[in-house]
Amino acid sequence: MSIDELSTTISDMYRSLGDRPAFDAHLHPDLTIWESDADNLLTGLAALDALRDTRAAAATGPAPVSVAPEQVRAESWGDTGLVRYVLRARFADDRPDTCFRVTDVLRRDDTGWRIVHHHAEAVR
């Protein structure tokens, strides 16, 4: 059951993209983050918000029409889970899809599964 819960947690999180509080409910407040466009390891939601704001200011063109995980692989050991997937952003215009290889480490607490470490690498 935990593997299905992990996959569902990731899918639910990306379905709430655009609603920061709903998206962030899937994240531990002290999570660590490696992102292709961040120079350093980020720690906590405030650092993630700063990265999001920088991205929003630099964005050009329309937003993706969908962002969804594919090729999801999940496993768990008690209250610790690992989910690996490709995150694909699709656009309405002629821009090619943007993809990232993602690994998320999750911990289960009283609120359910939450990401404690997120690693995303842009695929060229």
Side-chain angles (χ1 to χ4, degrees), residues 15-67:
R15 272 195 290 276
S16 65
L17 194 62
D19 178 348
R20 258 190 208 185
F23 188 92
D24 291 355
H26 297 89
L27 307 175
H28 189 279
D30 298 322
L31 84 156
T32 54
I33 305 153
W34 285 116
E35 286 280 348
S36 295
D37 60 341
D39 293 335
N40 300 305
L41 177 68
L42 305 177
T43 302
L45 291 175
L48 177 57
D49 282 341
L51 178 62
R52 289 168 169 163
D53 294 342
T54 299
R55 287 175 176 166
T60 60
V65 294
S66 70
V67 178

Side-chain angles (χ1 to χ4, degrees), residues 18 23 31 34 45 54 57 63 68 75 90 98 101 104 106 111 122:
F23 188 92
L31 84 156
W34 285 116
L45 291 175
T54 299
E75 52 192 299
R90 296 183 191 277
T98 302
R101 290 184 198 114
D104 287 329
L106 297 91
T111 64

Side-chain angles (χ1 to χ4, degrees), residues 99-110:
C99 294
F100 298 86
R101 290 184 198 114
V102 180
T103 302
D104 287 329
V105 179
L106 297 91
R107 188 176 310 138
R108 183 174 35 205
D109 61 19
D110 296 339

